Every structure is written in structure tokens, then in C-alpha cells.
Amino acid sequence: MHHAVRSRVAVKHGPPTVVPTHGLRGRSLVDADALRVLHRSARVLLNNLPELTDRLVAVLREREPAYRATLESEPAATWQEVHRSLRHSVSSLLDPRNARDEALRCSWRIGASRAEQGLPLDALLHAFRLGGSLIWQVLVEETSRTAPEDVRLLVHVAADVWNFVDEHCTLVAEAYRKVERQQAWRQEHRVRLLTAALLDGTSRIADVAETAATLDLPEQGRYAVVAVGTGRQAGGASTRAAVVPGDVRVHWHTGVDVDHGIVLVGDEDLPEPAVRLCSPAGARVGIGPVVVGLAAVGDARRLADMALSICPDGGGTVRLTEQLPAAMVMSCPELGRALAAEVLGPLLRLEPSDRDILLDTLEVWLDCDGSAQRASVRLYCHRNTVLNRLKRCEQLTGRSLARPADMVEFSLALTARRLLRD
């Protein structure tokens, strides 16, 4: 019997109840005689169902390896399933109007249960076609034994019998795929829940082993979390692929505003995760430090988010280990704002034009490692102008740029002002 090539039946909660379009009906005197022959032999099959079941089970054991394993592990249950399916199928040959719906429900249940058990769909469809072939073979054998002259009449109902088999193969496949989709959704939902708990730091210790197995990641590996902003800038799979090379093991968890990648860092001597230094144009990427063990991924996610918060709005990549002073400011915004007000207060109270010139000069000078000459080039002014502005900053704030402690305060205060403008 060839594979069924039909449009699928739309089913939500079970097999459809449809008026047959090709029932075993008498369309002529010849057809009536053919139905009579069919019914006569079918009654014999119905009366000898145990023997017919044994024959089909033997065929399945011989010709379908997947069912062979099932028969070995659950011989009684499989025999009952085959017996039940044959009973409904033969009954449908005798009384399609009253028996057809129950036969369809039986096939639907078999398709759904076998999908849950993981039996391959090809094996299941093969089993149904073997069952149809056996029923037809036994019908011919019985007619040949009791009335050889009537065998030729079975040709007139052959199409109806094979259409019946075809219909059930289609229904079984639909039930199987529906369960498959449900299982895939449940598995995906389970993975999302486990990953979310891991990233939130709310995973129970008892769940970490299951999470490791589900995500196919070592429980005691070395990990870093990569946070990719998905707001106004470009996001999605292409950005994630551009951030983390294809040869690096990573599990992505997509979110509304941020996607998080749990990156496995294999080399114990590698201090940073193996991610690209440059993010795609417009993308914002934050990279947290390496932690040991899946149980610590929640801490790594929090630090990656902090790195992302430092990232400029226009895009870029920020490694937290390279921005620790900024991370300290962001870890406690209230103290950051207080520090900026305390250190830069006198400058902040100046007229905006005067204020911005002094603050920009101070920031550029610090960025140039205290070189007035380099700062003057970037500011398009004379070196002495830079020195005069710096001296004024010292006078207004009462701090000295020659004193290391004051330099640290200036640097942190400027960082706080830049990151905490809102």
C-alpha cells in the first residue's frame, strides 16, 4: 500500500466526524453482489479476530523493527492495541455508517499514544498499512476458500477498502503530529523556565543538575553571560550570531528588551569569554566576568546587565572587567549621584556654557592620561588654555589634580554624571 497523499484533516481535540464520501455503498447490482461477498468474508474475520491479531503481530515483529522492540517490552498491551484496531476496522467494513466514527477514534488514540511513547511515525504508518494489507489478503483467502467464483467481485470494493486504510493513515499522522507539536511546545516552555530561573538566580540547587542536562551544558563548567540589547537597535538571531562565534557553545534566552547568552568558557586559563570585541553596527552588548558552575550564572547575568547599562546608546561592546569603576558607580546610583554633587557641585552650579567647557576639559584631560598637550589637540585649543581651565576646576572644587585621591574622586564623579544623567 503506497503512502497516503491527502490533505490533512483539521482536528483540534480528536478525530473528525465527517459524512463518508466514499462509503461501501451499493452503486449497481454488481456492487451489491461485491458488498455481499465482502460482508460474508468480513464476518468470518470478525469471528476469528484473535487468530487475525496473532498473524498481524507476527508480521509486525518480522517486518517492522520499531514494533519489534515494542512487542518485546509490552507484548500484552501491544497485542490488545492491534486486536482493538482490527476489530474496529473489520466492523467498519460490515457497517461503515455506525462503526466508522469509533474506528476513527481508535486510530486517533493509537496515533496520539504512540507519539507520546516516541515510536517513529514512519513505523506507525507502516504498521497500519501492513494491517490493511493483511485484512485484504485474508478477505481474498476466505472468499477463495468458500466461494472461489466470487473472488473477482472483490475487485469492485478494493478501492473502498484501500481508501479506508488511506483515511486512517492520514488520521494517525495528524494525531501523531499534534502530540508532537504539544510535546515540542512543552519542552521549549520547560527549557525557557529552567533558563529563566538560572539567569534570575532563583534555581534551586536540586534543579541545577536537571538544567545542565536539559541545556546540554556541564554543571561545573566556566561560564560568562553576554547581554545583547534588543530595544531600538538591531537585535535578533543575526546579532547574536555576530557577537558569539559559531564554534563557541552558547545557550540563548530571548527577552523583551535583552537577550542573554550563557557562554561556556572552556579554557581554564582564559580570563574572558570567547566573544568578539566588536558588536554589529547599532547593537549594544554587555559582557560579564567568568564564573564557575551553572549555579553562579545568576550573578554573571546581573554583571552582564550592568555592563550593558554602561554601553552607549549608539551601540558598542562593554566588558565589565574593563569598566569596573563605572560598574561601581552603577551598582549604587544613589551614592554615584551624591559623589557627583559633592565633588562637582561648584562646577555644576556655573552657567551651562561655562560649566560644560570646564567639565569637558577635565574629562578629556583625564582620558589623555593627564597630558595637557594631547588634550589641547582634542579640544582644538592651546595647551595653556587647558592648564588654565584645569586650575580653575581646582580652585572651584577645592581639590588638587596632583593629589591621587582627588584624581580618583574626579574620575568617579565624572563617570557618575555621564552614566546617571537621568
Side-chain angles (χ1 to χ4, degrees), residues 160-358:
D160 288 325
V161 173
W162 291 116
N163 283 339
F164 172 85
V165 175
D166 196 31
E167 178 183 36
H168 281 256
C169 284
T170 300
L171 184 68
V172 164
E174 190 68 28
Y176 189 101
R177 293 189 180 103
K178 175 174 178 149
V179 171
E180 234 181 6
R181 290 192 296 269
Q182 292 173 339
Q183 289 179 329
W185 181 87
R186 285 196 295 266
Q187 176 64 14
E188 181 181 350
H189 186 62
R190 179 63 176 163
V191 168
R192 282 193 62 81
L193 288 177
L194 289 173
T195 307
L198 197 65
L199 290 167
D200 290 342
T202 57
S203 287
R204 298 180 303 173
I205 296 300
D207 293 336
V208 175
E210 179 189 356
T211 303
T214 301
L215 303 185
D216 191 26
L217 293 171
E219 185 176 350
Q220 295 303 322
R222 299 173 69 246
Y223 295 97
V225 173
V226 177
V228 179
T230 59
R232 293 172 297 175
Q233 287 76 24
S238 59
T239 299
R240 295 195 296 267
V243 171
V244 181
D247 58 346
V248 175
R249 291 180 64 184
V250 57
H251 179 82
W252 286 101
H253 180 78
T254 58
V256 177
D257 298 317
V258 181
D259 291 346
H260 292 100
I262 303 173
V263 181
L264 177 63
V265 183
D267 189 347
E268 293 185 0
D269 297 326
L270 190 64
E272 293 287 345
V275 295
R276 303 187 193 279
L277 291 176
C278 297
S279 60
R284 299 172 60 248
V285 180
I287 304 172
V290 173
V291 297
V292 178
L294 276 178
V297 163
D299 293 333
R301 191 274 309 165
R302 179 176 56 82
L303 295 175
D305 283 348
M306 186 174 294
L308 182 63
S309 70
I310 300 171
C311 191
D313 290 339
T317 297
V318 172
R319 293 180 181 273
L320 191 70
T321 53
E322 297 173 356
Q323 298 286 343
L324 291 177
M328 292 175 61
V329 170
M330 294 300 294
S331 66
C332 187
E334 294 81 3
L335 287 180
R337 291 188 179 93
L339 177 64
E342 176 65 25
V343 176
L344 304 176
L347 299 177
L348 297 175
R349 289 190 286 271
L350 296 175
E351 290 294 324
S353 58
D354 199 14
R355 175 198 65 198
D356 293 342
I357 287 175
L358 293 179

Side-chain angles (χ1 to χ4, degrees), residues 94-116:
L94 289 168
D95 186 7
R97 184 183 297 260
N98 296 318
R100 177 176 178 272
D101 286 348
E102 187 56 39
L104 291 174
R105 282 192 286 270
C106 177
S107 294
W108 177 274
R109 288 192 293 269
I110 291 173
S113 65
R114 287 306 181 184
E116 291 174 350

